[in-house]
Amino acid sequence: MASTGPPQSLKRSDTSLTREGDQLIITPLGAGNEVGRSCVYMSYKGKTILFDCGIHPAYSGMAALPYFDEIDPSTIDVLLVTHFHLDHAASLPYFLEKTTFKGPVFMTLATKAIYALLLSDYVKVSKVSVEDMLYDEQDILRSMDKIEVIDFHQTLEVNGIRFWCYTAGHVLGAAMFMVDIAGVRVIYTGDYSREEDRHLRPAEIPQFSPDICIIESTYGVQLHQPRNMREKCFIDGVPYECMAVYQTYINTSALKCIENFNDVGPSVVMASPSGLKSGLSRQLFEIWCSDKKNACVIPGNVVEGTLTKTIINEPKEVTLMNGITASLNINTKIISPKNCQSVEMYFNSEKRLAEKTPEVGETVSGLLVKKTFTYQIMVPDDLHVFSQLSTENISQRITFAYTGAFGVLEHRLKQILESVESLPDEESEGPAFRVHERLTMKYESEKHISLHWRSDPISDMVSDFVVALVLNISREIPKVVVKSEEATKTEENSKKAEKVVHALLVSLLGDGEVWREWETGDKCRWKCGAS
């Protein structure tokens, strides 16, 4: 992440990149090294987004606006507004009615409802001349018709840009926007709060990890009032109209201490306060400051008298909170772009390379995923990392009637298939065997067997074959007729009598002159010599 040189025009151009990968540019048109008129311009792969559209509370007229003259508003694909505060939304009527911007604008339903009330009041109390007025109430009403609403966790797509929002706390309807362009995810928070109040839900932790995080840091070094005082101020200070909106939308609307942090392996921790005066950020700094492999990135302004002001001068030692001196080897970098100063990053579209480059004609397996700009082949394990999709495993089981010997099935399958393996009884809780390491057949009872497998095209095919084989074997099992004890004895006596007759004839005529010609039922005929 690096800041460019002098400010340059942000109007869309067709110049080719000089570095491998794709360039993503983030430029603050307001709130860069200042508080107020939040407005951040982002472009990637020919797509442009504007986050927030506020005014500067210390200025009036055109001077209060973000630096709109640095961009071509007609090229912006979508405008996303996080919440209704003036420093985030008050230049929106001007931008919609008095520039060439024609794209869609999105905010939450509660934000839109309070936006109209707040800006109408802002116009009434503004102490500026008519010539210096940025817009009037009619412009506000016309802007309302152009604003579209988005619900929390609702995914929308505009011109190949996918985005959705999370609750941000802070004020009613405040949202954090996650934007996905060609697989690169950027989250823009606006003001947010992780404190849970009676009237607001805290900011959510996004389900998907972003590649870039743009965070509001205005109050990063300040302590807030206790919760009960904030709630009292909220009730006492909310006008009747806004309270009615609040009652309408209230139902729609991390790491807490160093002891919970498992410092194992590489990690990135975003902690406050940025001045490193106390709290989690100071505790982590004191643990990591002596190791040159670590780094400390400081966003925003550096205030005199804070530890951040001390370490940017790169002293050899720093004093810890317990008074002990420690060596300072950590790498320190301050990232605080000014207005119209771009921050450039490069993203390679190939998120993960194969272990080897396939040869021409070689078969490549995986999941073919169509994203906005490209087709990608992924292994299933990477699907949830590089897309919003995920894989699920379906376990199937079939139980059916079978009265034959269980060993017959295993024997017949071994004659046909290559891999049929018996399983130990302690592993399968009874007789069982596995086919091609995909399907397990279990003996359930004298009349039933069951098949178990995890569904996929190959396993489903193997299971269909095994089921057909079992049903075919069931039809081939011969019928067994149980003979009575009396019939068995009669048959044994007949065989004994036959042996006696044969022995008598042989003793009279010789062994070569006597043989049995045929047998019918329990009778036989002996032929002696030529007669």
Side-chain angles (χ1 to χ4, degrees), residues 96 99 142 148-149 191 198 220 228 232 239 283 350 389 395 416 419 426 449 485 497 514-516:
L96 294 181
T99 70
R142 284 191 291 267
E148 302 181 45
V149 296
D191 292 303
R198 296 179 190 272
N228 59 344
K232 186 177 185 302
Q283 292 173 308
E350 297 180 359
L389 304 174
S395 296
I416 302 172
S419 177
E426 57 270 15
I449 60 173
E485 293 184 4
V514 180
W515 64 91
R516 189 166 60 180

Side-chain angles (χ1 to χ4, degrees), residues 125 135 165 183 188 206 232 268 270 303 315 318 340 343 350 359 375 406 408 419 518 528:
V125 301
Y135 48 82
C165 63
Y188 177 83
K232 186 177 185 302
V268 176
M270 296 182 182
V303 181
V318 291
C340 303
V343 176
E350 297 180 359
E359 302 292 338
Y375 287 88
F406 189 68
V408 173
S419 177
W518 69 81
C528 303

Side-chain angles (χ1 to χ4, degrees), residues 2 10 67 102 123 136 189 192 204 208 214 216 248 250 262 274 285 302 321 328 399 410 452 468 522:
L10 301 175
Y67 290 84
K102 301 299 179 184
V123 168
D136 56 26
T189 67
Y192 73 98
E204 295 179 273
F208 303 100
I214 306 172
E216 178 86 24
T248 302
I250 183 59
N262 186 16
S274 61
F285 176 83
V302 177
M321 288 189 292
L328 181 66
T399 302
E410 183 177 1
H452 307 257
D522 57 351

Side-chain angles (χ1 to χ4, degrees), residues 314-480:
E314 299 182 353
K316 293 184 179 180
E317 296 179 338
V318 291
T319 302
L320 306 182
M321 288 189 292
N322 57 12
I324 299 176
T325 301
S327 59
L328 181 66
N329 298 320
I330 196 170
N331 295 308
T332 306
K333 186 169 185 177
I334 299 177
I335 299 177
S336 183
K338 299 178 180 180
N339 287 332
C340 303
Q341 185 177 18
S342 299
V343 176
E344 299 177 357
M345 285 154 281
Y346 294 85
F347 288 88
N348 195 327
S349 298
E350 297 180 359
K351 293 288 188 178
R352 180 172 174 179
L353 299 177
E355 294 180 357
K356 66 174 184 177
T357 303
E359 302 292 338
V360 177
E362 184 177 353
T363 301
V364 177
S365 63
L367 299 176
L368 182 63
V369 180
K370 179 186 177 183
K371 305 191 77 174
T372 306
F373 296 89
T374 58
Y375 287 88
Q376 296 178 327
I377 296 180
M378 303 181 186
V379 295
D381 293 341
D382 284 350
L383 194 62
H384 74 284
V385 178
F386 302 124
S387 72
Q388 288 186 274
L389 304 174
S390 61
T391 56
E392 296 292 341
N393 294 320
I394 301 176
S395 296
Q396 299 205 55
R397 168 181 171 143
I398 296 178
T399 302
F400 48 91
Y402 177 76
T403 57
F406 189 68
V408 173
L409 296 177
E410 183 177 1
H411 175 72
R412 290 290 295 273
L413 286 171
K414 284 182 177 180
Q415 290 179 321
I416 302 172
L417 302 177
E418 295 180 356
S419 177
V420 179
E421 175 188 3
S422 298
L423 298 178
D425 290 348
E426 57 270 15
E427 179 180 338
S428 58
E429 299 180 355
F433 57 86
R434 183 170 293 137
V435 180
H436 279 292
E437 299 183 353
R438 293 176 176 271
L439 180 145
T440 301
M441 179 174 285
K442 293 183 178 181
Y443 178 81
E444 301 291 346
S445 67
E446 294 181 356
K447 296 183 179 181
H448 296 92
I449 60 173
S450 63
L451 300 179
H452 307 257
W453 75 96
R454 182 170 291 177
S455 183
D456 62 61
I458 297 178
S459 298
D460 291 346
M461 181 180 64
V462 173
S463 67
D464 290 343
F465 168 77
V466 172
V467 169
L469 180 66
V470 172
L471 295 177
N472 189 53
I473 292 176
S474 297
R475 288 192 295 266
E476 293 178 353
I477 295 176
K479 295 182 179 180
V480 179

